[in-house]
């Protein structure tokens, strides 16, 4: 049974799209988009690709060949994903060249003379080669709280829930993908239900999208697992509602970037030898998707070990450790993240108040953006208050101490530069970090936040006293 394709994805020239229009039409409405015209000056598009559009595999192998990466075997399934293993970039490319040098009688088998069709995924290229500057993140995707946070903090700061593998693994969500014609990614939704963007440095991809309001139709009767491959024969006994799904289809060409919104399940096929650059990210517009996923996965983790609850000295701690292992963070990790970004947005708002000569400063685009961020954080904190986070744990941040933390101050500086860039403003003459002790927030220095309710009160205080006083 074929897919019921009912539409395609919008395609827009990025040079003719403003940031505000992108937010209004796509980001806030959670709609996918293909963007053209933004990759012409990327170094990767020159170094990694021949003039005829083929990937320059020799350059990649000779320049980055010693890197250890994860590759997926497109012909082998392991639970709900393709089987993965580690290998060097040079060995991966050697396999690619061998596989592509012979005509395939049956490419769908993904095997040839004992070699398998492999797909390099999740290569933390930016972390490994920070000086190379392969590309520039497009304006539309700069408001990236996830990677900005991970540039300054570890997501799992509690040693009970975080085990560091190396300096690269789990360090960010900026990736390079590489694969020969025929490589593919099974049906899935992105990590944390984040946004993602994917730029084709070379090659062509075919995307199939299922909207969030239909994703339940692709699950089994128990709502535990989704269909693995939407082009396999789907068992109607296991997946009784899959035949009701309707899909968007999209062909992504070389030098095109696709924006994948939160919660859109998708399957992707490389129609040609392809290299892409991909980021996962979230911000004030999709925090609710992240929290909803954490809550859902927490409930599943709790139900899975419910039978040992009476024997466990710290059942809640075990649930949170399992949640971090399975989802990538737990309630405490996300609350720490929310706290720091709420504080950072508050600092930005206070700084804007100080430097502005206009009494109506809070009506500016940047101020409205910061206010929106704080209101979004407040909404999530209200939801968090009905969980174990309502009690005081080891997560306590006081504003005075945070403002003395050089890591936090650097986070604030980066956030200010991000919002100045987004709103097409010149950077202030004085670096923000030099100004923080004198931004008119002395009355806030004694604020201490220990739980979501404290955070709600703090944000309310800011919005009522700082913002309303400007009207």
């Amino acid at each position: 049974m074929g897919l019921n394709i009912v539409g395609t994805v919008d395609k827009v020239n990025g040079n003719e799209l403003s940031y505000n229009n992108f937010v209004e039409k796509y980001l806030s409405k959670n709609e996918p988009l293909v963007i053209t015209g933004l990759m012409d000056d990327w170094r990767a598009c020159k170094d990694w690709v021949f003039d005829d559009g083929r990937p320059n595999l020799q350059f990649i192998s000779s320049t980055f060949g010693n890197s250890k990466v994860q590759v997926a075997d497109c012909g082998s399934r392991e639970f709900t994903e393709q089987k993965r293993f580690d290998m060097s970039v040079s060995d991966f490319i050697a396999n690619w060249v061998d596989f592509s040098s012979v005509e395939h009688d049956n490419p769908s088998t993904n095997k040839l003379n004992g070699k398998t069709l492999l797909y390099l995924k999740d290569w933390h290229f930016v972390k490994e080669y920070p000086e190379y500057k392969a590309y520039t993140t497009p304006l539309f995707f700069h408001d990236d709280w996830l990677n900005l946070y991970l540039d300054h903090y570890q997501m799992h700061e509690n040693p009970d829930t975080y085990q560091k593998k190396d300096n690269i693994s789990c360090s960010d969500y900026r990736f390079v993908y590489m694969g020969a014609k025929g490589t593919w990614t099974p049906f899935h939704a992105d990590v944390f239900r984040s946004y993602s963007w994917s730029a084709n440095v070379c090659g062509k991809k075919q995307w199939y999208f299922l909207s969030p309001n239909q994703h339940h139709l692709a699950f089994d009767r128990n709502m535990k697992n989704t269909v693995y491959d939407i082009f396999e024969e789907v068992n109607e006994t296991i997946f009784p509602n899959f035949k009701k799904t309707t899909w968007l289809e999209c062909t992504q060409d070389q030098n095109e970037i696709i924006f994948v919104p939160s919660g859109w399940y998708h399957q992707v096929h490389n129609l040609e030898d392809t290299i892409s650059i991909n980021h996962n990210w979230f911000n004030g517009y999709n925090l609710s998707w992240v929290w909803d996923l954490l809550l859902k996965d927490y409930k599943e983790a709790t139900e899975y070990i419910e039978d040992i609850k009476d024997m466990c000295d710290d059942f809640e701690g075990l649930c949170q450790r399992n949640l971090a292992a399975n989802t990538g963070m737990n309630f405490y990790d996300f609350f720490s993240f929310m706290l720091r970004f709420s504080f950072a947005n508050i600092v930005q708002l206070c700084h804007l108040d100080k430097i502005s000569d206009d009494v109506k400063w809070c009506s500016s685009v940047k101020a409205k953006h910061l206010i929106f961020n704080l209101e979004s954080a407040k909404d999530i904190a209200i939801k968090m208050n009905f969980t174990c986070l309502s009690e005081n744990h080891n997560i306590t941040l006081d504003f005075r101490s945070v403002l003395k933390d050089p890591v936090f101050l650097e986070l604030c500086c980066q956030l200010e530069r991000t919002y100045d860039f987004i709103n097409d403003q010149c950077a202030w003459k004085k670096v923000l970090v030099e100004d923080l002790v004198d931004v008119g927030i002395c009355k806030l220095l004694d604020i201490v936040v220990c739980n979501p309710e404290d955070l709600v009160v703090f944000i309310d205080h800011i919005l009522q006293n700082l913002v309303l006083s400007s009207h």
Side-chain angles (χ1 to χ4, degrees), residues 82-96:
Q82 293 165 334
K83 184 177 180 180
R84 293 198 184 198
F85 51 92
D86 296 333
M87 67 190 313
S88 70
V89 168
S90 59
D91 287 344
F92 165 76
I93 287 179
N95 178 282
W96 183 346

Side-chain angles (χ1 to χ4, degrees), residues 36 100 167 323 456:
T36 65
S100 301
N167 291 328
L323 179 61
V456 171

Side-chain angles (χ1 to χ4, degrees), residues 80-306:
T80 60
E81 298 183 356
Q82 293 165 334
K83 184 177 180 180
R84 293 198 184 198
F85 51 92
D86 296 333
M87 67 190 313
S88 70
V89 168
S90 59
D91 287 344
F92 165 76
I93 287 179
N95 178 282
W96 183 346
V97 171
D98 288 348
F99 201 91
S100 301
S101 63
V102 180
E103 290 292 330
H104 292 221
D105 293 330
N106 182 10
S108 64
T109 62
N110 297 305
K111 293 185 181 295
L112 181 68
N113 296 331
K115 292 185 178 294
T116 57
L117 189 57
L118 303 179
Y119 194 2
L120 187 159
K121 296 184 175 183
D122 300 338
W123 182 8
H124 294 264
F125 185 89
V126 171
K127 283 290 185 181
E128 195 167 356
Y129 299 98
E131 303 302 321
Y132 182 77
K133 309 298 182 188
Y135 62 96
T136 303
T137 300
L139 165 70
F140 309 110
F141 315 127
H142 259 259
D143 192 13
D144 176 352
W145 294 9
L146 175 60
N147 288 297
L148 179 56
Y149 186 81
L150 291 173
D151 286 342
H152 297 85
Y153 299 97
Q154 296 170 351
M155 186 60 78
H156 310 299
E157 296 182 54
N158 187 325
D160 290 335
T161 60
Y162 176 76
Q163 292 182 346
K164 191 167 184 177
K165 298 178 182 178
D166 53 52
N167 291 328
I168 303 299
S169 299
C170 303
S171 57
D172 69 346
Y173 287 85
R174 307 178 184 99
F175 306 116
V176 168
Y177 279 47
M178 300 173 55
K181 176 182 178 180
T183 49
W184 65 293
T185 298
F187 184 64
H188 70 286
D190 285 330
V191 61
F192 303 138
R193 297 305 177 264
S194 60
Y195 298 135
S196 67
W197 62 268
S198 178
N200 273 5
V201 175
C202 65
K204 180 182 293 187
K205 293 186 178 188
Q206 192 75 7
W207 295 72
Y208 300 91
F209 287 104
L210 187 67
S211 70
N213 61 14
Q214 288 200 12
H215 80 270
H216 61 285
L217 300 175
F219 275 79
D220 60 23
R221 291 181 178 274
N222 299 318
M223 292 299 293
K224 296 295 184 183
N225 297 304
T226 64
V227 169
Y228 175 74
D229 180 358
I230 60 178
F231 292 106
E232 284 184 340
E233 188 66 32
V234 176
N235 187 321
E236 291 190 18
T237 301
I238 300 174
F239 302 99
N241 294 310
F242 184 77
K243 58 187 176 183
K244 301 176 185 176
T245 57
T246 59
W247 300 77
L248 297 185
E249 183 180 34
C250 171
T251 301
Q252 179 192 14
D253 291 312
Q254 181 177 350
N255 293 336
E256 293 184 344
I257 305 171
I258 193 164
F259 165 63
V260 182
S262 289
W264 282 72
Y265 278 74
H266 49 282
Q267 185 163 313
V268 190
H269 293 257
N270 290 329
L271 304 181
E272 300 172 355
D273 291 355
T274 301
I275 301 175
S276 65
I277 292 167
N278 310 275
H279 284 204
N280 293 99
W281 52 294
F282 49 77
N283 57 34
Y285 283 93
N286 64 339
L287 285 177
S288 61
W289 284 94
V290 183
W291 174 248
D292 288 347
L293 176 69
L294 279 174
L295 192 59
K296 171 183 149 311
D297 287 356
Y298 168 77
K299 291 177 180 178
E300 291 182 358
T302 303
E303 291 171 1
Y304 189 73
I305 58 173
E306 185 72 31

Side-chain angles (χ1 to χ4, degrees), residues 244-440:
K244 301 176 185 176
T245 57
T246 59
W247 300 77
L248 297 185
E249 183 180 34
C250 171
T251 301
Q252 179 192 14
D253 291 312
Q254 181 177 350
N255 293 336
E256 293 184 344
I257 305 171
I258 193 164
F259 165 63
V260 182
S262 289
W264 282 72
Y265 278 74
H266 49 282
Q267 185 163 313
V268 190
H269 293 257
N270 290 329
L271 304 181
E272 300 172 355
D273 291 355
T274 301
I275 301 175
S276 65
I277 292 167
N278 310 275
H279 284 204
N280 293 99
W281 52 294
F282 49 77
N283 57 34
Y285 283 93
N286 64 339
L287 285 177
S288 61
W289 284 94
V290 183
W291 174 248
D292 288 347
L293 176 69
L294 279 174
L295 192 59
K296 171 183 149 311
D297 287 356
Y298 168 77
K299 291 177 180 178
E300 291 182 358
T302 303
E303 291 171 1
Y304 189 73
I305 58 173
E306 185 72 31
D307 56 340
I308 66 168
K309 184 174 183 178
D310 294 338
M311 299 179 287
C312 190
D313 293 334
D314 183 14
F315 182 73
E316 181 59 41
L318 178 60
C319 291
Q320 293 298 329
R321 287 192 291 275
N322 289 348
L323 179 61
N326 296 331
T327 306
M329 61 178 157
N330 60 29
F331 285 2
Y332 306 125
D333 301 326
F334 190 54
F335 184 56
S336 293
F337 168 90
M338 290 281 295
L339 269 180
R340 290 192 173 104
F341 262 97
S342 296
F343 281 12
N345 276 276
I346 287 169
V347 168
Q348 301 297 318
L349 206 56
C350 292
H351 184 239
L352 194 60
D353 177 33
K354 184 199 174 204
I355 64 165
S356 178
D357 296 327
D358 187 352
V359 70
K360 299 293 185 181
W361 63 269
C362 67
S363 297
S364 69
V365 174
K366 183 177 179 180
K368 288 180 178 178
H369 193 160
L370 296 168
I371 293 167
F372 171 83
N373 288 344
L374 289 172
E375 289 175 340
S376 297
K378 174 187 167 183
D379 289 342
I380 301 303
I382 290 172
K383 295 179 181 179
M384 286 180 168
N385 206 39
F386 295 97
T387 69
C388 61
L389 290 169
S390 62
E391 303 174 6
N392 291 347
H393 292 275
N394 293 326
I395 303 174
T396 300
L397 287 181
D398 69 275
F399 208 52
R400 185 185 300 274
S401 298
V402 168
L403 288 177
K404 296 178 181 178
D405 177 9
V407 177
F408 175 76
L409 297 182
E410 177 57 29
L411 176 71
C412 287
C413 290
Q414 292 283 352
L415 194 64
E416 183 195 37
R417 286 192 282 268
T418 294
Y419 289 153
D420 285 344
F421 179 67
I422 286 173
N423 294 295
D424 195 25
Q425 297 176 355
C426 296
W428 310 117
K429 294 180 180 178
K430 212 172 192 180
V431 178
L432 179 62
V433 69
E434 299 174 359
D435 235 4
L436 281 176
V437 294
D438 185 28
V439 293

